[in-house]
């Protein structure tokens, strides 16, 4: 299965994002859709699995939960919008807790193979050997936030319990 992973669209499902995701089977969205219309545009484009973010209103929260735990091609996936504690966005510091309290509770409950979040607008993919999973934050693909951080989206394949062929797309600010 080919997965497109995005977050923090903040109301815009831009053409460059659509182009990058045109060949994926499904889109996973890690929150902050921005508008229900944006969420529906994504769902009309490709099947959508999403969670709401801190900027999303009640209308989106009625259609997308705080977190999702599911299995895809033998990989256990946990996704929520806010995952990292402030101060953990840029670099892993073993002296400080890495995950926000609610996220850590979910991690301890579900023991995922992959933990996905958004919120920080800072793209990160790393193996968390302490917790035994692959951490993924696709960054933000919308037009809100710092122009010092590029707009990003990820795509990758999952089969037989293995994640492979990961690609990122850096998109310009218009």
């Amino acid at each position: 299965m080919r997965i497109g992973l995005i977050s923090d669209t903040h109301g815009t499902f831009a053409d460059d994002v659509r182009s990058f995701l045109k060949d994926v089977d499904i889109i996973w969205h890690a929150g902050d859709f921005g508008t229900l219309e944006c969420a529906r545009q994504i769902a009309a484009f490709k099947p959508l699995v999403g969670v709401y973010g801190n900027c999303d209103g009640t209308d989106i929260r009625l259609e997308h939960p705080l977190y999702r735990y599911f299995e895809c091609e033998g990989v256990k996936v946990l996704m929520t919008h806010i995952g990292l504690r402030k101060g953990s966005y840029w670099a892993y510091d073993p002296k400080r807790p890495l995950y926000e309290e609610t996220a850590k509770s979910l991690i301890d409950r579900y023991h995922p193979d992959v933990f996905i979040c958004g919120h920080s607008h800072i793209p990160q993919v790393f193996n968390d050997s302490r917790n035994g999973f692959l951490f993924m934050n696709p960054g933000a693909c919308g037009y809100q936030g710092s122009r010092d951080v590029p707009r990003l989206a990820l795509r990758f394949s999952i089969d037989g319990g293995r994640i492979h062929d990961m690609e990122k797309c850096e998109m310009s600010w218009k």
Side-chain angles (χ1 to χ4, degrees):
M1 176 160 305
R2 195 78 173 135
I3 313 295
L5 178 59
I6 60 176
S7 185
D8 297 275
T9 46
H10 292 285
T12 304
F13 188 44
D15 288 340
D16 51 3
V17 179
R18 288 174 195 258
S19 178
F20 179 67
L21 300 178
K22 71 180 184 305
D23 294 326
V24 303
D25 300 307
I26 191 167
I27 294 174
W28 297 349
H29 192 295
D32 276 359
F33 287 99
T35 65
L36 187 56
E37 176 60 27
C38 180
R40 290 185 173 158
Q41 286 174 6
I42 297 166
F45 180 70
K46 295 285 178 175
L48 172 64
V49 174
V51 296
Y52 73 75
N54 60 301
C55 293
D56 291 325
T58 303
D59 55 349
I60 294 170
R61 292 172 189 229
L62 290 171
E63 292 195 18
H64 298 280
L66 171 65
Y67 73 92
R68 289 194 187 257
Y69 175 74
F70 57 95
E71 190 170 315
C72 178
E73 300 289 324
V75 174
K76 297 179 295 184
V77 178
L78 175 62
M79 180 168 52
T80 193
H81 183 61
I82 299 176
L84 293 177
R85 294 177 69 92
K86 280 195 173 191
S88 299
Y89 294 163
W90 287 105
Y92 174 72
D93 179 355
K95 295 177 186 162
R96 291 188 49 156
L98 185 61
Y99 299 103
E100 181 272 333
E101 199 171 303
T102 301
K104 183 61 174 146
S105 165
L106 292 168
I107 289 165
D108 291 344
R109 177 177 176 189
Y110 291 107
H111 306 285
D113 299 315
V114 176
F115 176 61
I116 296 170
C117 67
H119 185 62
S120 70
H121 293 205
I122 299 166
Q124 292 180 304
V125 177
F126 62 87
N127 284 310
D128 182 337
S129 58
R130 181 189 300 174
N131 289 290
F133 56 70
L134 178 65
F135 174 88
M136 298 173 76
N137 182 330
C141 67
Y143 291 102
Q144 184 172 333
S146 171
R147 291 178 180 258
D148 295 334
V149 179
R151 297 172 47 247
L152 263 105
L154 298 176
R155 64 183 177 200
F156 53 92
S157 294
I158 300 180
D159 62 66
R162 190 172 74 89
I163 296 173
H164 58 93
D165 297 330
M166 186 171 298
E167 302 169 272
K168 72 175 180 178
C169 180
E170 291 190 19
M171 297 162 284
S172 65
W173 288 82
K174 294 185 180 185

